[in-house]
Amino acid sequence: MSGKNFSLILAAMLSASVFSQAQTGQSDPEGALVYSLPRTSVRLEVVARQETFYAGPYAKYAEKYLGINARQKDAVSFTVESVKMTPFVEADPDRRYTVAPGSAMPAFLTLTAQGLVSVQSGASDATEWRFPAAGKSDFSDRGVTSNLTSESTTLYRNVKNESSYNKVAVQQEMVVQKSLDARAKEAAEMIFNLRKKRVQIITGDTDATFSGEALSAAIGEITRLEREYMSMFIGYSEFSEQKMNYEVVPSADNESQMYVAFRLSDSKGLVPADEMSGKPYLLEFAVQPVSAPSGKAAAVKGTAARYRVPATCSVKLSDGVNVLLQSRMPVYQLGVESAFPLGGK
């Protein structure tokens, strides 16, 4: 580590001599400056996509009339769309020290907002999220064929003659409801007719002549109608985004250095790490040990300043099987803590 880098680390982490470590819950001593050693926190900005799928009313006939397999049940699903991982430095509330009043301080040791603070800083922004109200499928405006058809039936009436009554057949049209199968068949026929018509227009195999914008408009309208009819078989989906921020603070006490960063629930989407209903996403830190300094150093005597040298870590985010994100970053609390003599007795 160069002298310049060492000075930068010291400037960000320490100040002057240490008389005593401040106790949690106690007020800071008057006339003394209180500072904390730095620690690294990792922020994850996660975006998940919610898909609300509505099955088509003719889904079970899709294979019969179109030769395709279609989803037949409404469903809601979530997938992680993007993750942004950002390390930042904050004050460690468990490593707070006081600077002795009037202590001499070398010129290269400067006071900084992060290295000399009495309270934790760098708090994350508040995040609020909610799902939109669940919609209801509506296919009433899709398709142009009638829901009704005519059937012929034979009725009989009695006709009186001179000696008896005879039955005479009478034809009467009755309006009845089409079966779902019949409506699906008509919709499938319309899809194939539209496809055929589009090919005819494109190849010029039609009595009408299309060119320029008229050709583009005709093809676009046929394609739109085809999509409308296809949705009756294959259904349609509506999408929305869900955004959440999560923070992971590594601890030297965790031997595995593996943390559940967040979870993804099938019904709720992104949820906190402690909500067991979701699938866990793991953040793992592979620590590169900090080597011992070369040469011998005399024991620190008199007043000294505490500082930390961060450990460089390889950080991986995974869903337990696949690695989604990987980076390298310095993590202060997983490094080494030492002291810098400031002179005095």
Side-chain angles (χ1 to χ4, degrees):
M1 183 181 297
S2 66
K4 180 179 179 181
N5 290 337
F6 181 68
S7 299
L8 291 175
I9 291 174
L10 287 175
M13 293 186 298
L14 56 93
S15 175
S17 60
V18 179
F19 276 171
S20 63
Q21 183 171 356
Q23 301 296 320
T24 302
Q26 295 181 354
S27 60
D28 295 337
E30 295 184 3
L33 186 59
V34 179
Y35 75 97
S36 299
L37 296 185
R39 71 178 182 186
T40 302
S41 177
V42 180
R43 173 179 293 173
L44 297 172
E45 301 175 34
V46 188
V47 178
R49 185 177 68 165
Q50 175 188 357
E51 178 188 4
T52 304
F53 174 75
Y54 302 102
Y58 304 154
K60 66 179 180 180
Y61 300 105
E63 186 173 6
K64 178 180 179 180
Y65 292 118
L66 298 178
I68 60 176
N69 292 321
R71 298 161 65 181
Q72 299 187 20
K73 293 183 178 181
D74 294 351
V76 177
S77 60
F78 295 88
T79 55
V80 174
E81 191 172 65
S82 66
V83 179
K84 181 180 179 182
M85 181 169 62
T86 306
F88 65 97
V89 177
E90 62 185 11
D92 190 338
D94 295 327
R95 291 292 186 273
R96 301 179 68 245
Y97 300 93
T98 57
V99 177
S103 297
M105 184 174 63
F108 65 86
L109 298 182
T110 60
L111 309 185
T112 66
Q114 199 62 58
L116 289 169
V117 291
S118 59
V119 295
Q120 183 174 342
S121 63
S124 61
D125 298 332
T127 303
E128 181 180 356
W129 60 268
R130 63 187 61 178
F131 291 113
K136 184 179 180 182
S137 57
D138 181 10
F139 294 91
S140 60
D141 60 345
R142 300 173 186 255
V144 296
T145 58
S146 172
N147 189 45
L148 302 177
T149 188
S150 296
E151 290 185 355
S152 295
T153 184
T154 301
L155 300 179
Y156 295 91
R157 67 178 181 179
N158 292 325
V159 178
K160 183 179 180 181
N161 56 26
E162 294 181 355
S163 59
S164 64
Y165 287 91
N166 295 325
K167 288 185 177 181
V168 178
V170 177
Q171 290 295 117
Q172 180 176 329
E173 292 291 323
M174 297 182 62
V175 177
V176 297
Q177 184 178 10
K178 291 180 184 178
S179 68
L180 191 63
D181 193 330
R183 283 182 282 155
K185 181 180 179 181
E186 286 187 0
E189 290 173 350
M190 180 63 75
I191 290 171
F192 290 119
N193 287 337
L194 289 169
R195 292 175 179 175
K196 182 178 179 180
K197 180 64 68 175
R198 182 170 54 211
V199 173
Q200 289 174 341
I201 293 175
I202 293 174
T203 59
D205 185 18
T206 178
D207 295 336
T209 302
F210 297 90
S211 62
E213 293 183 0
L215 176 62
S216 177
I219 296 300
E221 181 62 17
I222 290 175
T223 301
R224 184 190 68 81
L225 288 172
E226 181 189 355
R227 284 199 299 263
E228 292 288 312
Y229 278 99
M230 282 297 296
S231 69
M232 306 289 283
F233 291 92
I234 63 175
Y236 69 95
S237 294
E238 294 179 349
F239 298 93
S240 61
E241 279 191 353
Q242 177 192 9
K243 298 180 180 180
M244 285 284 287
N245 286 353
Y246 299 94
E247 294 181 5
V248 176
V249 181
S251 171
D253 297 331
N254 187 339
E255 295 183 2
S256 67
Q257 288 305 319
M258 187 174 293
Y259 306 84
V260 177
F262 61 92
R263 294 178 183 268
L264 187 68
S265 168
D266 292 334
S267 59
K268 300 179 182 178
L270 295 170
V271 294
D274 57 358
E275 186 162 336
M276 305 305 292
S277 62
K279 172 185 177 182
Y281 283 74
L282 305 175
L283 196 63
E284 182 179 2
F285 294 80
V287 181
Q288 179 181 341
V290 180
S291 61
S294 57
K296 286 188 176 181
V300 176
K301 296 181 180 179
T303 58
R306 308 295 301 181
Y307 66 94
R308 274 176 170 166
V309 178
T312 301
C313 299
S314 175
V315 186
K316 293 190 299 183
L317 177 69
S318 70
D319 59 4
V321 178
N322 304 307
V323 176
L324 307 180
L325 198 63
Q326 186 167 353
S327 183
R328 285 166 57 85
M329 65 181 65
V331 181
Y332 283 97
Q333 61 269 36
L334 300 184
V336 296
E337 183 175 330
S338 189
F340 185 86
L342 295 176
K345 297 182 180 180

